Amino acid sequence: MNMNRGRGTRQRLVVIGGDAAGMSAASQARRMKGAADLEIVAFERGDFSSYSACGIPYWVGGDVAGRDELIARTPEEHRARDIDLRMRTEVVEIDPAGQRVRARDVDSGAESWTPYDDLVIATGARPVRPDLPGADAPGVHGVQSLGDGQALLDTLARTRGRRAVVVGAGYIGVEMAEALIKRGYEVTVVNRGEEPMSTLDPDMGRLVHEAMAGLGITMVDGAEVTEIRTGDDGRVRAVVTEDAEYPADVVVLGIGVRPETTLAREAGLPLGGHQGLLTDLAMRVRGHGNIWAGGDCVEVLDLVSGQERHIALGTHANKHGQVIGTNVGGGYATFPGVVGTAVSKVCDLEIARTGLREKDARRAGLQYVTATVESTSRAGYYPGSSPMTVKILAERRTGRLLGVQIVGREGAAKRVDIAAVALTAGMTVERMTALDLGYAPPFSPVWDPVLVAARKAAKAVSASA
């Protein structure tokens, strides 16, 4: 039953979250339907809308001149497009049965209910904070929002010491380590994993470790943090593991993120094994015809393994928003899933992966072969050629491509897009070797490194038959 018919025939879309997925959905719905047919109300608990969280490490490191460079569209620009974006207003309850949300003004504490015809949940993700003594002490920072980035910069500006400890060595951890090095800090990275970048297999992660150590970053792998120690003033002064203590004037948590689905859970909406919202291909929350969800708060289908995954990336969030906005606006669109493509860098070292790691393949019950090659970004005789390492996983017997990892210098990372397309198309490594890729000495050897690895993987598949 529609509880909101008293408003007449005008449809109301309510959006929770004013960043990539939420505002992409709102903007696309507005393009599909005019203000006379669709009212859009969006709530954002923070101070900023439609910004690039992926750019925060580069802002902290000084590569991006200022915070405003990361903002794609301000609240005023959204409002000029007939989207009622209410900043510093936090939704604290979803009532699916009553088709309404309860929101609280962050500054005044005033609360009110807003009814909806369609609801978009785009609450994003939150940084993982370890349940340890001192984890909430002044000087300890997670980095997920623009507000987080500003808080970290404020701390750096007033901190006299120059010792930084980064806890965790995933994408955020390694990027923040680089940013702090650029800020002139003495950086230690404490990582519980065997090697940095757990999104890679350990043999490829070792290459990242060596490169980071070469930059002067102290790498501590296989270490479990037991305490973040504070001084008499209550501020952080050290990170403690089972075996050692690392002095720190500032600590950055790079442990990763979790879906922010507290509201959804309390409302009884379906969550997956990673605690992300579960949706259908149209990004509609399963079992709820007028509730949609997208961005870092959802789980998505892995097209390679066939399992649900949580992947927090702005590329997916924007696509989710486009799909939701199209469907709410009366059109039709779907989001079929992902292959898990991601790229990063530490100074001049480029890191890329797509598809499955070895442990992902084992978890999915797949038998596989691997092939690793070392090649160059350009023809060996052409100036500026740099080395890269490519690792491929292929399914035993069938030869189906399962995953690719690349670590190298300039020209390495974006080669992973070749593999991403091949994965999406369900290609075998044998078929990949015939791909008609562009060639000229300034761009590639005659045999592109990805194809060299595919050819070696094809031989391994044949040998395993």
Side-chain angles (χ1 to χ4, degrees):
M1 180 176 67
N2 190 330
M3 305 294 291
N4 308 315
R5 287 178 180 168
R7 295 199 312 273
T9 58
R10 193 182 187 207
Q11 178 185 2
R12 176 182 283 166
L13 170 65
V14 168
V15 178
I16 307 174
D19 199 9
M23 299 318 294
S24 290
S27 298
Q28 177 65 3
R30 172 58 72 229
R31 285 189 286 269
M32 299 286 291
K33 282 192 173 183
D37 297 318
L38 178 66
E39 177 188 6
I40 303 176
V41 179
F43 297 99
E44 168 54 48
R45 65 185 177 185
D47 298 305
F48 308 98
S49 67
S50 298
Y51 59 86
S52 171
C54 300
I56 293 173
Y58 308 108
W59 167 37
V60 173
D63 297 303
V64 175
R67 182 182 65 200
D68 291 349
E69 299 294 319
L70 301 180
I71 298 173
R73 190 167 290 175
T74 64
E76 292 74 20
E77 289 172 318
H78 283 299
R79 292 172 190 140
R81 291 167 170 82
D82 293 312
I83 297 171
D84 180 6
L85 175 54
R86 303 176 188 180
M87 302 299 294
R88 297 188 61 76
T89 308
E90 180 179 13
V91 173
V92 294
E93 183 180 352
I94 300 170
D95 176 14
Q99 291 186 209
R100 59 181 187 162
V101 301
R102 180 164 58 95
R104 176 185 300 142
D105 185 286
V106 171
D107 298 313
S108 70
E111 295 187 356
S112 62
W113 286 96
T114 302
Y116 63 80
D117 295 295
D118 286 280
L119 174 67
V120 176
I121 302 174
T123 45
R126 64 182 184 278
V128 174
R129 278 191 175 265
D131 185 16
L132 296 171
D136 295 318
V140 180
H141 293 267
V143 185
Q144 178 67 12
S145 67
L146 277 193
D148 295 336
Q150 187 63 65
L152 174 58
L153 283 172
D154 291 344
T155 292
L156 298 179
R158 62 174 177 259
T159 299
R160 291 185 178 181
R162 309 301 291 177
R163 299 169 300 182
V165 174
V166 178
V167 180
Y171 289 107
I172 291 296
V174 299
E175 289 170 356
M176 290 308 304
E178 176 186 358
L180 291 165
I181 281 284
K182 289 183 174 180
R183 287 274 173 181
Y185 278 74
E186 176 187 327
V187 179
T188 299
V189 176
V190 179
N191 172 38
R192 67 186 299 183
E194 180 182 349
E195 298 289 354
M197 297 298 293
S198 62
T199 53
L200 304 176
D201 289 324
D203 54 339
M204 298 295 282
R206 185 65 193 175
L207 302 176
V208 180
H209 175 116
E210 293 169 356
M212 293 179 72
L215 296 171
I217 298 170
T218 300
M219 298 297 299
V220 182
D221 293 320
E224 189 77 39
V225 175
T226 58
E227 179 187 358
I228 297 177
R229 193 160 290 168
T230 56
D232 294 338
D233 59 357
R235 294 187 57 80
V236 63
R237 71 173 180 84
V239 171
V240 181
T241 69
E242 295 174 344
D243 303 316
E245 178 176 314
Y246 302 95
D249 301 298
V250 63
V251 173
V252 175
L253 302 175
I255 305 172
V257 298
R258 292 194 181 106
E260 179 50 89
T261 50
T262 304
L263 280 174
R265 183 176 63 252
E266 293 173 349
L269 301 179
L271 305 181
H274 303 280
Q275 296 303 298
L277 275 157
L278 297 177
T279 70
D280 61 18
L281 292 178
M283 304 308 298
R284 184 184 288 107
V285 173
R286 294 179 192 176
H288 296 268
N290 64 339
I291 302 179
W292 314 77
D296 295 353
C297 65
V298 306
E299 296 186 16
V300 293
L301 177 65
D302 186 311
L303 297 174
V304 185
S305 70
Q307 300 173 340
E308 301 288 342
R309 296 181 62 184
H310 176 246
I311 302 178
L313 282 176
T315 52
H316 302 159
N318 279 283
K319 291 171 187 173
H320 295 167
Q322 288 286 309
V323 169
I324 293 168
T326 297
N327 290 325
V328 169
Y332 175 72
T334 61
F335 183 80
V338 303
V339 294
T341 307
V343 296
S344 186
K345 76 176 194 69
V346 184
C347 291
D348 66 339
L349 184 75
E350 300 183 0
I351 307 159
R353 58 74 49 90
T354 189
L356 308 182
R357 299 163 297 179
E358 291 194 46
K359 67 179 181 180
D360 299 325
R362 290 192 295 268
R363 188 181 300 123
L366 295 168
Q367 295 186 1
Y368 61 91
V369 300
T370 68
T372 301
V373 302
E374 295 188 7
S375 185
T376 55
S377 58
R378 305 172 179 175
Y381 56 80
Y382 193 87
S385 178
S386 59
M388 74 174 68
T389 303
V390 181
K391 179 176 181 178
I392 279 188
L393 274 71
E395 188 173 16
R396 189 181 297 273
R397 296 179 66 86
T398 70
R400 177 171 67 106
L401 178 66
L402 296 179
V404 173
Q405 300 163 42
I406 305 174
V407 177
R409 260 67 188 184
E410 182 183 2
K414 287 298 284 180
R415 275 183 161 86
V416 81
D417 290 340
I418 302 169
V421 173
L423 279 168
T424 305
M427 295 179 70
T428 65
V429 287
E430 178 67 36
R431 188 178 176 195
M432 281 181 67
T433 63
L435 286 173
D436 184 13
L437 304 182
Y439 162 70
F443 304 106
S444 170
V446 172
W447 277 87
D448 188 273
V450 173
L451 299 191
V452 175
R455 186 168 61 179
K456 186 174 179 180
K459 291 180 180 177
V461 170
S462 298
S464 71

